[in-house]
Amino acid sequence: MAFATQLALVRTAVLLLSLRSSGQMPLMPKIHYCVSFWAKNITCYWDLLPETHSPITYTLHITEESGRCRQDFGRPSRCVARWGERSCGVPVENLFAFYKIQLTAESRGVQVRSLEKCIQGMAVVKLSSPMVNALLANQSRCFQLEWSLPGDEVVSVSEAQYEIQYRDVAEKSWAQVNFTAAENGQAFANICGVSPFTNYSVRVRAKYLLSHSLQGDGDPFWSNWSPERYVRTLPAVPSRGPALWRKFGISGADGKRDVILMWKPLKPKEANGEILIYSLFSQRKGESAGPQCLTRELQCTLRLLMGAGYTFSITARNIAGVSPVTSLIVLPSDGQEELSSTFPVLASPATDHSFLLRWSLPHFPAIRYVFEWGRLPRKKGEDVFWHDHSGNTNHMVIAEAIMPGNLYSLKVFVLIHGNVWASGSTSGYSKQTAPLRAPTLYPSQIWKTEVALQWEMLPLEERGGVIRNYTLCYKEEGENERAVILDSSIQRYIIRGLAPASIVHVYLTVATEGGSTRGSVLSVRTKSDEYGKAEVLILAFSVGFLLLFGSLACVYRYRWYVVVSCVFHSRGGQSSISGLQLPKSLRCHGRWLGVADLYRMDFCLPFFFFSYFRPTSRDGREGPRRPAGRTGAAPGGDAGRRSAILRLRAMRRAAPRLPPSPSWPPCLGPGPELVLPPPAAGARILPPGSPRPLRAAYAM
Ligand SMILES: *[C@@H]1O[C@H](CO)[C@@H](O)[C@H](O)[C@H]1NC(C)=O
Ligand SMILES: *[C@@H]1O[C@H](CO)[C@@H](O)[C@H](O)[C@H]1NC(C)=O
Ligand SMILES: *[C@@H]1O[C@H](CO)[C@@H](O)[C@H](O)[C@H]1NC(C)=O
Ligand SMILES: *[C@@H]1O[C@H](CO)[C@@H](O)[C@H](O)[C@H]1NC(C)=O
Ligand SMILES: *[C@@H]1O[C@H](CO)[C@@H](O)[C@H](O)[C@H]1NC(C)=O
């Protein structure tokens, strides 16, 4: 016996040494905890010892005892954990008995043992999961459930404690009720304080209640949750009236206008049941209220007198009853917004798809806010979104139908007792994007050494943000490229100092906070010197032609003159024109031209020179002329913009077209300093890539 003990000690020392040799602290196996399953087994859990060179085998030894582990009662049972596993279980029959439990770890014939544990089966029992047998809601705010534990795990309901959990199926978190039954009580609970007309999911779990004599020996485990069961509570009267708002439509010549009354569906927790019908009533001042719409829709269009004020009220009905009333007062004419006082509203982007609105107002009882927003420019038939909030607040996040790159108008209305008391408005972008396109570039005038360029104002919906600046890049053939940064208010620029008859490639980049967009390349040829010579030639020909024409006209004119004088002479018998005494018969039928006639021709020719041959300015050097009604004056006005665009198109048609040069790289690299035109006010000109903007200017 002593020898056997010695041998065991030596073996343990060897195992400990082998563990130490692996660089770890020497360890003994340790049982973490044991769980007993009714009528099945006791399973124990432990942590694995550090790896050694050879695999370690874990064996769990369980022996039924008589009394509190005073003496072995049955034969020891054991289980060997599969490799790498940290638990195993031994079947047992009587969970009310005590068990002696020990874990051994063995490696290459060396064994180490854990301390012995003495556990009563029921002290570590994990009951099977209960079953919900009946679940019923015969009220709107309570439901009842009944459950049981399978088999004979507990004799009485009171031997276990229970947890009941329930949640609205639309939500994540559970509400919990702890339950212990009285002696001879029932596994039945009435759960109250729940919402009407809500689908609840319910589950229960159980834990064995340890008798006093065993407390401290362990802690039983909670069973698994029962399978979930569902119950829908009964409907109740809607808790509030629908949020009501209005939109004004077309006003007619008959003194009436369309008023669209809109309301929001109640939230499920407010509707408390399925809404069967909405009832809208209207009341003119001094008259009794009359029904206007009974509908399941969410709006109702009425044609009402513009000069009259109305009070509208709406209720929602479900199977349980009618909601409280919401009212809205609409003042005569659509001056409602203007009549109320205004307050400042600040809008900032909350995310790329939402706005945070902030304002500051005193607190009022019975206050209601309506938020209204929509895309700008407002288009006919496009939806206006609105949102309702009851109670005092000084901020609101608006997140419905907000897209980056669009300008939104944002309005806040304050309602007290259904009356718009104050309002505030602002506008903004939730996120600016690069413009959808760059404005089209047109040459508006071309000279020998200068080119005037013009571009349109981008329509609001294509801007993507607030236009900060334009960059005009141009490159004359054989020259370096140049860039000009122009203020967003500028829409015209004259490139100077070009060579005659040279091709210049130009493009425009437009920038917002959200990015920039580059337009296509426009190529323009400046006028050549030849052009001027040809004109002089044409001018010379014209002068010659006019001289000829003038003299012919003068001769013809004289002929006519003589005819008239003939008639005079025939009547008066005396010629007062010529001053010469000619035979009467010859006066009208003789030679047409005499000395005096030639004299008259002398008089006539200068006349022609001065009346028909006035010098004209036709070489186009009048200097840059502003096209009438600059496009800059067009923002907002659709008609103005359209005519400006038409004008620009006409200019473009008239301009000489050249194929764009596709090989031209973007205007980015550092270029030479720009030779600046005479300074004036308006534009900054910098060489591309220059970090420091040069102050320069240009008269536009
Ligand atoms: C012990 O019983 C439980 C419950 O039935 C079972 O899940 C587990 O597999 C059993 N363990 C062993 C080792 O038989
Ligand atoms: C609902 O059921 C409970 C329990 O069965 C009962 O006490 C109660 O009277 C019932 N209520 C209604 C409104 O039927
Ligand atoms: C139920 O018991 C749990 C655990 O003991 C406790 O944390 C919880 O607060 C109890 N819930 C109620 C509603 O008493
Ligand atoms: C409650 O919700 C569950 C899960 O979504 C569904 O299976 C069940 O049919 C619903 N019950 C009722 C009464 O609506
Ligand atoms: C042009 O506007 C954009 C966007 O605001 C900005 O990033 C850029 O610096 C501006 N360019 C100049 C030269 O001011």
Side-chain angles (χ1 to χ4, degrees), residues 201-235:
S201 169
V202 184
R203 62 185 189 179
V204 183
R205 67 178 183 174
K207 185 163 104 171
Y208 184 69
L209 269 177
L210 217 49
S211 68
H212 287 289
S213 61
L214 284 173
Q215 270 171 10
D217 279 6
D219 195 16
F221 293 86
W222 278 107
S223 74
N224 290 336
W225 288 105
S226 69
E228 287 177 35
R229 289 276 305 267
Y230 301 98
V231 64
R232 184 181 279 282
T233 48
L234 294 187

mmCIF file of all heavy atoms in Angstrom, residues 201-235:
data_model
loop_
_atom_site.group_PDB
_atom_site.id
_atom_site.type_symbol
_atom_site.label_atom_id
_atom_site.label_comp_id
_atom_site.label_asym_id
_atom_site.label_seq_id
_atom_site.Cartn_x
_atom_site.Cartn_y
_atom_site.Cartn_z
ATOM 1 N N SER A 201 -45.552 38.407 -28.033
ATOM 2 C CA SER A 201 -44.906 37.106 -27.987
ATOM 3 C C SER A 201 -44.605 36.831 -26.505
ATOM 4 O O SER A 201 -44.128 37.722 -25.810
ATOM 5 C CB SER A 201 -43.623 37.183 -28.804
ATOM 6 O OG SER A 201 -42.866 36.044 -28.564
ATOM 7 N N VAL A 202 -44.918 35.625 -26.041
ATOM 8 C CA VAL A 202 -44.793 35.312 -24.604
ATOM 9 C C VAL A 202 -43.962 34.048 -24.437
ATOM 10 O O VAL A 202 -44.090 33.100 -25.236
ATOM 11 C CB VAL A 202 -46.196 35.105 -23.981
ATOM 12 C CG1 VAL A 202 -46.094 34.878 -22.478
ATOM 13 C CG2 VAL A 202 -47.100 36.286 -24.269
ATOM 14 N N ARG A 203 -43.104 34.017 -23.395
ATOM 15 C CA ARG A 203 -42.328 32.812 -23.086
ATOM 16 C C ARG A 203 -42.099 32.725 -21.579
ATOM 17 O O ARG A 203 -42.151 33.731 -20.866
ATOM 18 C CB ARG A 203 -41.012 32.787 -23.852
ATOM 19 C CG ARG A 203 -40.089 33.935 -23.495
ATOM 20 C CD ARG A 203 -38.852 33.929 -24.362
ATOM 21 N NE ARG A 203 -37.875 34.893 -23.888
ATOM 22 C CZ ARG A 203 -36.697 35.078 -24.450
ATOM 23 N NH1 ARG A 203 -36.335 34.375 -25.492
ATOM 24 N NH2 ARG A 203 -35.853 35.969 -23.954
ATOM 25 N N VAL A 204 -41.823 31.509 -21.110
ATOM 26 C CA VAL A 204 -41.683 31.256 -19.668
ATOM 27 C C VAL A 204 -40.474 30.357 -19.463
ATOM 28 O O VAL A 204 -40.165 29.501 -20.306
ATOM 29 C CB VAL A 204 -42.941 30.520 -19.119
ATOM 30 C CG1 VAL A 204 -42.846 30.305 -17.618
ATOM 31 C CG2 VAL A 204 -44.205 31.286 -19.458
ATOM 32 N N ARG A 205 -39.783 30.533 -18.326
ATOM 33 C CA ARG A 205 -38.770 29.549 -17.938
ATOM 34 C C ARG A 205 -38.880 29.294 -16.444
ATOM 35 O O ARG A 205 -39.492 30.082 -15.697
ATOM 36 C CB ARG A 205 -37.364 29.980 -18.345
ATOM 37 C CG ARG A 205 -36.840 31.195 -17.628
ATOM 38 C CD ARG A 205 -35.425 31.476 -18.087
ATOM 39 N NE ARG A 205 -34.863 32.603 -17.365
ATOM 40 C CZ ARG A 205 -33.616 33.002 -17.483
ATOM 41 N NH1 ARG A 205 -32.780 32.367 -18.278
ATOM 42 N NH2 ARG A 205 -33.179 34.042 -16.798
ATOM 43 N N ALA A 206 -38.274 28.208 -15.996
ATOM 44 C CA ALA A 206 -38.475 27.773 -14.603
ATOM 45 C C ALA A 206 -37.125 27.463 -13.971
ATOM 46 O O ALA A 206 -36.155 27.113 -14.652
ATOM 47 C CB ALA A 206 -39.354 26.529 -14.584
ATOM 48 N N LYS A 207 -37.096 27.587 -12.649
ATOM 49 C CA LYS A 207 -35.882 27.220 -11.908
ATOM 50 C C LYS A 207 -36.340 26.542 -10.619
ATOM 51 O O LYS A 207 -37.220 27.052 -9.923
ATOM 52 C CB LYS A 207 -35.056 28.470 -11.599
ATOM 53 C CG LYS A 207 -33.728 28.168 -10.946
ATOM 54 C CD LYS A 207 -32.793 29.357 -11.048
ATOM 55 C CE LYS A 207 -32.710 30.081 -9.726
ATOM 56 N NZ LYS A 207 -31.661 31.096 -9.726
ATOM 57 N N TYR A 208 -35.720 25.422 -10.352
ATOM 58 C CA TYR A 208 -36.084 24.667 -9.146
ATOM 59 C C TYR A 208 -35.772 25.502 -7.914
ATOM 60 O O TYR A 208 -34.716 26.131 -7.814
ATOM 61 C CB TYR A 208 -35.289 23.353 -9.119
ATOM 62 C CG TYR A 208 -35.663 22.458 -7.978
ATOM 63 C CD1 TYR A 208 -36.914 21.826 -7.933
ATOM 64 C CD2 TYR A 208 -34.767 22.237 -6.935
ATOM 65 C CE1 TYR A 208 -37.255 21.023 -6.888
ATOM 66 C CE2 TYR A 208 -35.096 21.429 -5.873
ATOM 67 C CZ TYR A 208 -36.351 20.814 -5.858
ATOM 68 O OH TYR A 208 -36.690 20.021 -4.798
ATOM 69 N N LEU A 209 -36.732 25.547 -6.963
ATOM 70 C CA LEU A 209 -36.534 26.291 -5.709
ATOM 71 C C LEU A 209 -35.918 25.332 -4.706
ATOM 72 O O LEU A 209 -36.535 24.333 -4.324
ATOM 73 C CB LEU A 209 -37.871 26.810 -5.199
ATOM 74 C CG LEU A 209 -38.295 28.196 -5.663
ATOM 75 C CD1 LEU A 209 -39.682 28.515 -5.127
ATOM 76 C CD2 LEU A 209 -37.296 29.261 -5.248
ATOM 77 N N LEU A 210 -34.718 25.609 -4.265
ATOM 78 C CA LEU A 210 -33.986 24.705 -3.373
ATOM 79 C C LEU A 210 -34.563 24.794 -1.972
ATOM 80 O O LEU A 210 -34.853 25.875 -1.464
ATOM 81 C CB LEU A 210 -32.518 25.150 -3.362
ATOM 82 C CG LEU A 210 -31.464 24.080 -3.307
ATOM 83 C CD1 LEU A 210 -31.695 22.998 -4.337
ATOM 84 C CD2 LEU A 210 -30.093 24.713 -3.500
ATOM 85 N N SER A 211 -34.743 23.631 -1.337
ATOM 86 C CA SER A 211 -35.241 23.658 0.041
ATOM 87 C C SER A 211 -34.149 24.235 0.949
ATOM 88 O O SER A 211 -32.974 24.221 0.600
ATOM 89 C CB SER A 211 -35.607 22.248 0.490
ATOM 90 O OG SER A 211 -34.425 21.487 0.589
ATOM 91 N N HIS A 212 -34.590 24.737 2.101
ATOM 92 C CA HIS A 212 -33.648 25.435 2.989
ATOM 93 C C HIS A 212 -32.462 24.570 3.368
ATOM 94 O O HIS A 212 -31.354 25.052 3.481
ATOM 95 C CB HIS A 212 -34.381 25.914 4.250
ATOM 96 C CG HIS A 212 -35.268 27.069 3.946
ATOM 97 N ND1 HIS A 212 -34.770 28.317 3.650
ATOM 98 C CD2 HIS A 212 -36.622 27.165 3.864
ATOM 99 C CE1 HIS A 212 -35.774 29.137 3.388
ATOM 100 N NE2 HIS A 212 -36.913 28.458 3.518
ATOM 101 N N SER A 213 -32.713 23.260 3.572
ATOM 102 C CA SER A 213 -31.651 22.384 4.056
ATOM 103 C C SER A 213 -30.512 22.260 3.043
ATOM 104 O O SER A 213 -29.380 21.967 3.410
ATOM 105 C CB SER A 213 -32.231 20.993 4.344
ATOM 106 O OG SER A 213 -32.745 20.463 3.139
ATOM 107 N N LEU A 214 -30.810 22.513 1.787
ATOM 108 C CA LEU A 214 -29.781 22.314 0.764
ATOM 109 C C LEU A 214 -29.143 23.613 0.291
ATOM 110 O O LEU A 214 -28.182 23.599 -0.467
ATOM 111 C CB LEU A 214 -30.388 21.588 -0.442
ATOM 112 C CG LEU A 214 -30.622 20.102 -0.233
ATOM 113 C CD1 LEU A 214 -31.372 19.536 -1.410
ATOM 114 C CD2 LEU A 214 -29.299 19.365 -0.038
ATOM 115 N N GLN A 215 -29.711 24.761 0.735
ATOM 116 C CA GLN A 215 -29.184 26.031 0.232
ATOM 117 C C GLN A 215 -27.716 26.181 0.613
ATOM 118 O O GLN A 215 -27.326 25.834 1.719
ATOM 119 C CB GLN A 215 -30.009 27.198 0.769
ATOM 120 C CG GLN A 215 -31.153 27.501 -0.182
ATOM 121 C CD GLN A 215 -32.149 28.490 0.356
ATOM 122 O OE1 GLN A 215 -31.919 29.118 1.390
ATOM 123 N NE2 GLN A 215 -33.272 28.596 -0.327
ATOM 124 N N GLY A 216 -26.923 26.654 -0.309
ATOM 125 C CA GLY A 216 -25.487 26.791 -0.078
ATOM 126 C C GLY A 216 -24.716 25.675 -0.731
ATOM 127 O O GLY A 216 -23.521 25.787 -0.952
ATOM 128 N N ASP A 217 -25.384 24.559 -1.053
ATOM 129 C CA ASP A 217 -24.689 23.449 -1.701
ATOM 130 C C ASP A 217 -24.527 23.671 -3.205
ATOM 131 O O ASP A 217 -23.775 22.970 -3.862
ATOM 132 C CB ASP A 217 -25.482 22.146 -1.494
ATOM 133 C CG ASP A 217 -25.190 21.566 -0.121
ATOM 134 O OD1 ASP A 217 -24.481 22.250 0.637
ATOM 135 O OD2 ASP A 217 -25.683 20.470 0.181
ATOM 136 N N GLY A 218 -25.273 24.630 -3.726
ATOM 137 C CA GLY A 218 -25.210 24.875 -5.177
ATOM 138 C C GLY A 218 -26.365 25.747 -5.560
ATOM 139 O O GLY A 218 -27.119 26.205 -4.703
ATOM 140 N N ASP A 219 -26.494 25.984 -6.829
ATOM 141 C CA ASP A 219 -27.597 26.813 -7.295
ATOM 142 C C ASP A 219 -28.190 26.143 -8.521
ATOM 143 O O ASP A 219 -27.481 25.928 -9.508
ATOM 144 C CB ASP A 219 -27.077 28.213 -7.624
ATOM 145 C CG ASP A 219 -28.222 29.210 -7.752
ATOM 146 O OD1 ASP A 219 -29.351 28.888 -7.303
ATOM 147 O OD2 ASP A 219 -28.004 30.291 -8.309
ATOM 148 N N PRO A 220 -29.487 25.796 -8.459
ATOM 149 C CA PRO A 220 -30.089 25.209 -9.649
ATOM 150 C C PRO A 220 -30.021 26.184 -10.826
ATOM 151 O O PRO A 220 -29.826 27.377 -10.636
ATOM 152 C CB PRO A 220 -31.531 24.951 -9.234
ATOM 153 C CG PRO A 220 -31.510 24.928 -7.761
ATOM 154 C CD PRO A 220 -30.433 25.880 -7.348
ATOM 155 N N PHE A 221 -30.186 25.646 -12.011
ATOM 156 C CA PHE A 221 -30.065 26.461 -13.227
ATOM 157 C C PHE A 221 -31.450 26.781 -13.781
ATOM 158 O O PHE A 221 -32.396 26.015 -13.570
ATOM 159 C CB PHE A 221 -29.262 25.700 -14.283
ATOM 160 C CG PHE A 221 -27.820 25.516 -13.873
ATOM 161 C CD1 PHE A 221 -27.443 24.427 -13.084
ATOM 162 C CD2 PHE A 221 -26.851 26.438 -14.255
ATOM 163 C CE1 PHE A 221 -26.134 24.278 -12.688
ATOM 164 C CE2 PHE A 221 -25.540 26.272 -13.847
ATOM 165 C CZ PHE A 221 -25.167 25.196 -13.067
ATOM 166 N N TRP A 222 -31.516 27.925 -14.489
ATOM 167 C CA TRP A 222 -32.760 28.247 -15.181
ATOM 168 C C TRP A 222 -32.945 27.253 -16.322
ATOM 169 O O TRP A 222 -31.982 26.909 -17.006
ATOM 170 C CB TRP A 222 -32.718 29.664 -15.740
ATOM 171 C CG TRP A 222 -33.041 30.723 -14.720
ATOM 172 C CD1 TRP A 222 -32.160 31.582 -14.153
ATOM 173 C CD2 TRP A 222 -34.322 30.999 -14.178
ATOM 174 N NE1 TRP A 222 -32.801 32.395 -13.263
ATOM 175 C CE2 TRP A 222 -34.147 32.061 -13.252
ATOM 176 C CE3 TRP A 222 -35.601 30.462 -14.335
ATOM 177 C CZ2 TRP A 222 -35.196 32.591 -12.521
ATOM 178 C CZ3 TRP A 222 -36.647 31.006 -13.604
ATOM 179 C CH2 TRP A 222 -36.446 32.055 -12.707
ATOM 180 N N SER A 223 -34.154 26.856 -16.515
ATOM 181 C CA SER A 223 -34.450 26.000 -17.669
ATOM 182 C C SER A 223 -34.332 26.833 -18.938
ATOM 183 O O SER A 223 -34.209 28.054 -18.871
ATOM 184 C CB SER A 223 -35.887 25.471 -17.553
ATOM 185 O OG SER A 223 -36.803 26.512 -17.851
ATOM 186 N N ASN A 224 -34.354 26.175 -20.062
ATOM 187 C CA ASN A 224 -34.444 26.925 -21.320
ATOM 188 C C ASN A 224 -35.815 27.586 -21.393
ATOM 189 O O ASN A 224 -36.753 27.174 -20.698
ATOM 190 C CB ASN A 224 -34.263 25.985 -22.508
ATOM 191 C CG ASN A 224 -32.830 25.489 -22.598
ATOM 192 O OD1 ASN A 224 -31.914 26.146 -22.087
ATOM 193 N ND2 ASN A 224 -32.653 24.340 -23.214
ATOM 194 N N TRP A 225 -35.907 28.622 -22.256
ATOM 195 C CA TRP A 225 -37.197 29.279 -22.441
ATOM 196 C C TRP A 225 -38.169 28.341 -23.143
ATOM 197 O O TRP A 225 -37.763 27.541 -23.985
ATOM 198 C CB TRP A 225 -37.037 30.550 -23.271
ATOM 199 C CG TRP A 225 -36.359 31.676 -22.519
ATOM 200 C CD1 TRP A 225 -35.087 32.090 -22.680
ATOM 201 C CD2 TRP A 225 -36.944 32.485 -21.510
ATOM 202 N NE1 TRP A 225 -34.813 33.125 -21.820
ATOM 203 C CE2 TRP A 225 -35.951 33.386 -21.084
ATOM 204 C CE3 TRP A 225 -38.200 32.541 -20.898
ATOM 205 C CZ2 TRP A 225 -36.165 34.332 -20.097
ATOM 206 C CZ3 TRP A 225 -38.412 33.490 -19.920
ATOM 207 C CH2 TRP A 225 -37.402 34.381 -19.524
ATOM 208 N N SER A 226 -39.409 28.489 -22.798
ATOM 209 C CA SER A 226 -40.454 27.722 -23.487
ATOM 210 C C SER A 226 -40.546 28.223 -24.930
ATOM 211 O O SER A 226 -40.119 29.333 -25.227
ATOM 212 C CB SER A 226 -41.794 27.959 -22.793
ATOM 213 O OG SER A 226 -42.213 29.295 -23.014
ATOM 214 N N PRO A 227 -41.099 27.453 -25.835
ATOM 215 C CA PRO A 227 -41.351 27.987 -27.187
ATOM 216 C C PRO A 227 -42.259 29.213 -27.071
ATOM 217 O O PRO A 227 -43.124 29.287 -26.202
ATOM 218 C CB PRO A 227 -42.072 26.839 -27.895
ATOM 219 C CG PRO A 227 -41.785 25.618 -27.096
ATOM 220 C CD PRO A 227 -41.584 26.067 -25.683
ATOM 221 N N GLU A 228 -42.058 30.188 -27.964
ATOM 222 C CA GLU A 228 -42.844 31.422 -27.899
ATOM 223 C C GLU A 228 -44.270 31.170 -28.364
ATOM 224 O O GLU A 228 -44.501 30.408 -29.295
ATOM 225 C CB GLU A 228 -42.204 32.508 -28.786
ATOM 226 C CG GLU A 228 -40.930 33.076 -28.193
ATOM 227 C CD GLU A 228 -40.254 34.088 -29.093
ATOM 228 O OE1 GLU A 228 -40.971 34.834 -29.787
ATOM 229 O OE2 GLU A 228 -39.009 34.120 -29.098
ATOM 230 N N ARG A 229 -45.181 31.835 -27.686
ATOM 231 C CA ARG A 229 -46.588 31.799 -28.111
ATOM 232 C C ARG A 229 -47.035 33.241 -28.326
ATOM 233 O O ARG A 229 -46.480 34.160 -27.738
ATOM 234 C CB ARG A 229 -47.462 31.135 -27.029
ATOM 235 C CG ARG A 229 -47.258 29.635 -26.895
ATOM 236 C CD ARG A 229 -48.092 28.834 -27.907
ATOM 237 N NE ARG A 229 -49.524 29.134 -27.864
ATOM 238 C CZ ARG A 229 -50.407 28.461 -27.144
ATOM 239 N NH1 ARG A 229 -50.028 27.450 -26.367
ATOM 240 N NH2 ARG A 229 -51.685 28.780 -27.186
ATOM 241 N N TYR A 230 -48.048 33.440 -29.171
ATOM 242 C CA TYR A 230 -48.471 34.802 -29.527
ATOM 243 C C TYR A 230 -49.891 35.070 -29.061
ATOM 244 O O TYR A 230 -50.737 34.179 -29.060
ATOM 245 C CB TYR A 230 -48.395 35.011 -31.032
ATOM 246 C CG TYR A 230 -46.996 34.793 -31.566
ATOM 247 C CD1 TYR A 230 -46.640 33.582 -32.140
ATOM 248 C CD2 TYR A 230 -46.038 35.790 -31.449
ATOM 249 C CE1 TYR A 230 -45.356 33.372 -32.607
ATOM 250 C CE2 TYR A 230 -44.750 35.590 -31.911
ATOM 251 C CZ TYR A 230 -44.414 34.376 -32.487
ATOM 252 O OH TYR A 230 -43.139 34.174 -32.920
ATOM 253 N N VAL A 231 -50.115 36.333 -28.684
ATOM 254 C CA VAL A 231 -51.468 36.746 -28.316
ATOM 255 C C VAL A 231 -51.663 38.190 -28.750
ATOM 256 O O VAL A 231 -50.750 39.003 -28.658
ATOM 257 C CB VAL A 231 -51.705 36.585 -26.793
ATOM 258 C CG1 VAL A 231 -50.800 37.499 -25.979
ATOM 259 C CG2 VAL A 231 -53.158 36.835 -26.439
ATOM 260 N N ARG A 232 -52.849 38.477 -29.273
ATOM 261 C CA ARG A 232 -53.147 39.866 -29.644
ATOM 262 C C ARG A 232 -54.175 40.413 -28.674
ATOM 263 O O ARG A 232 -55.241 39.808 -28.483
ATOM 264 C CB ARG A 232 -53.670 39.956 -31.079
ATOM 265 C CG ARG A 232 -53.898 41.393 -31.534
ATOM 266 C CD ARG A 232 -54.431 41.462 -32.940
ATOM 267 N NE ARG A 232 -53.397 41.317 -33.942
ATOM 268 C CZ ARG A 232 -52.552 42.294 -34.300
ATOM 269 N NH1 ARG A 232 -52.599 43.458 -33.706
ATOM 270 N NH2 ARG A 232 -51.670 42.085 -35.237
ATOM 271 N N THR A 233 -53.811 41.553 -28.069
ATOM 272 C CA THR A 233 -54.746 42.162 -27.123
ATOM 273 C C THR A 233 -55.911 42.782 -27.884
ATOM 274 O O THR A 233 -55.824 43.025 -29.087
ATOM 275 C CB THR A 233 -54.029 43.240 -26.290
ATOM 276 O OG1 THR A 233 -53.301 44.059 -27.181
ATOM 277 C CG2 THR A 233 -53.085 42.620 -25.289
ATOM 278 N N LEU A 234 -56.980 43.073 -27.176
ATOM 279 C CA LEU A 234 -58.186 43.589 -27.838
ATOM 280 C C LEU A 234 -58.034 45.071 -28.168
ATOM 281 O O LEU A 234 -57.261 45.776 -27.520
ATOM 282 C CB LEU A 234 -59.401 43.372 -26.938
ATOM 283 C CG LEU A 234 -59.792 41.912 -26.674
ATOM 284 C CD1 LEU A 234 -61.105 41.849 -25.907
ATOM 285 C CD2 LEU A 234 -59.921 41.122 -27.983
ATOM 286 N N PRO A 235 -58.751 45.592 -29.185
ATOM 287 C CA PRO A 235 -58.652 47.016 -29.543
ATOM 288 C C PRO A 235 -59.215 47.913 -28.445
ATOM 289 O O PRO A 235 -60.027 47.469 -27.617
ATOM 290 C CB PRO A 235 -59.495 47.149 -30.805
ATOM 291 C CG PRO A 235 -59.789 45.765 -31.264
ATOM 292 C CD PRO A 235 -59.681 44.874 -30.077
#
